[in-house]
Amino acid sequence: MTTRTRPSRTPVLDQACAEAVDLAFAAAEDVAGIGKVGEHQGATADGERTVTHYFAAQERGYIGWRWAVTVTRASRSKQVTVDETVLLPGEGAILAPRWLPWSERIQPGDIGVGDLLPTAADDARLEPGYTGADDAEPKPLREAPPILAGDADPAAPQRDSLPLIAFELGLGRARVLSLTGRQLAADRWSESFGAAAPMAQAAPASCASCGFLTSLGGALSQAFGVCANEYSPADGRVVGYDFGCGGHSEAAVVPDAAEVGEPIVDEYAVDQVQLHPTGSVHAEGTAEQGEDAEFADEEAELGHS
């Protein structure tokens, strides 16, 4: 048994409707106003005996938009009537940004004082947690005589271990972080304060060996902590163990200052200094010194005589 699919027919441009340009122009001006409709930009067949005419829009701020006027006629009738007139964007039209719901428009840091951000029931970042609502209340620990090891009395009051442990771990919440939520948080924190940060590349050591690192609780504690160094740019922020900065607790050890005694001034010691060493004669003064020596010899002879 074979079946035949009917081929789709492309609408044929109705001649009478295609020629009703003036009718379509008048309908566009009736909506837009006189002088607000531009030249005819063509026509397309929307169906059997149905044609849409396009006219340029002359409205300010509607660049690239056009008026679309749909006309039609009844079967075996030559009278063309107007179906609808709308303003549609064309090629190169200026359009407003695509509308987004508030849950997709909100950005980190948009929540202010008094703002509420509802969380969807199917949020992938969360999963059901342990609340203990279906469990009995933990029994209080009453005073009882000490029991030796290995001689525990089954009738002695015992605590309900599961609710108690859950309470000590800080659970009791309707939802907790899922694996997806933990991965998203880890990627977000590592982007700012992780090993790839420029400061971490120039740090002398990582936060894993820093004394200012405060550990977290839960599954993320294996890779993240909180910086407690007031001089660090990451003070009070969640940092990865592979992050680092110049404020590392063991980056540099300042040496102790050496003790220097008071200066001693000896007023009784004398240092001998020879200002003109023996045998040092300047070349520039040789001629003048020779003339002085001859004059001194002549004086000596005259005085001796």
Side-chain angles (χ1 to χ4, degrees):
M1 181 178 179
T2 59
T3 58
R4 294 183 179 180
T5 58
R6 185 177 180 180
S8 59
R9 293 180 55 188
T10 302
V12 180
L13 190 65
D14 185 77
Q15 186 66 24
C17 293
E19 293 176 355
V21 178
D22 296 338
L23 177 64
F25 183 84
E29 278 194 334
D30 185 58
V31 176
I34 305 299
K36 299 298 181 63
V37 181
E39 69 279 2
H40 185 254
Q41 294 182 342
T44 58
D46 297 334
E48 188 176 2
R49 297 184 300 275
T50 303
V51 175
T52 298
H53 294 271
Y54 298 97
F55 300 90
Q58 301 293 341
E59 293 282 350
R60 297 181 59 183
Y62 285 86
I63 301 174
W65 288 66
R66 55 185 182 176
W67 288 100
V69 181
T70 303
V71 297
T72 186
R73 67 181 180 89
S75 178
R76 299 180 181 180
S77 175
K78 295 183 179 180
Q79 184 178 1
V80 179
T81 58
V82 178
D83 275 358
E84 61 178 355
T85 303
V86 294
L87 184 63
L88 298 177
E91 296 182 0
I94 300 178
L95 301 176
R98 185 176 65 90
W99 182 85
L100 294 175
W102 67 268
S103 58
E104 299 181 17
R105 292 197 307 268
I106 192 169
Q107 298 295 326
D110 288 349
I111 301 178
V113 178
D115 295 339
L116 297 178
L117 179 61
T119 304
D122 57 348
D123 196 321
R125 300 172 299 172
L126 300 173
E127 62 184 8
Y130 172 76
T131 60
D134 299 332
D135 298 326
E137 292 294 331
K139 299 177 181 179
L141 181 61
R142 295 188 293 269
E143 293 294 335
I147 301 176
L148 299 178
D151 297 334
D153 186 3
Q158 300 290 329
R159 289 185 177 184
D160 192 351
S161 60
L162 185 58
L164 181 62
I165 293 175
F167 176 77
E168 292 178 352
L169 294 178
L171 299 180
R173 295 169 290 177
R175 289 186 290 178
V176 295
L177 274 177
S178 63
L179 178 60
T180 302
R182 293 194 296 269
Q183 290 177 345
L184 291 176
D187 294 341
R188 188 171 60 252
W189 295 343
S190 298
E191 184 177 355
S192 301
F193 298 99
M199 182 166 292
Q201 299 291 334
S206 63
C207 294
S209 58
C210 181
F212 294 107
L213 182 71
T214 302
S215 301
L216 293 177
L220 292 174
S221 63
Q222 301 177 6
F224 296 95
V226 178
C227 178
N229 187 353
E230 60 180 328
Y231 301 107
S232 172
D235 180 38
R237 298 178 179 271
V238 178
V239 297
Y241 286 165
D242 50 2
F243 181 71
C245 69
H248 195 280
S249 61
E250 312 302 326
V253 178
V254 180
D256 297 335
E259 295 183 1
V260 180
E262 296 181 0
I264 300 175
V265 180
D266 188 358
E267 299 179 354
Y268 300 98
V270 178
D271 295 334
Q272 295 182 359
V273 179
Q274 187 175 5
L275 299 179
H276 300 287
T278 304
S280 61
V281 178
H282 295 285
E284 298 178 357
T286 302
E288 296 179 358
Q289 292 176 358
E291 294 176 358
D292 295 338
E294 293 177 0
F295 182 75
D297 294 339
E298 293 177 358
E299 288 183 349
E301 292 178 0
L302 291 175
H304 180 69
S305 60

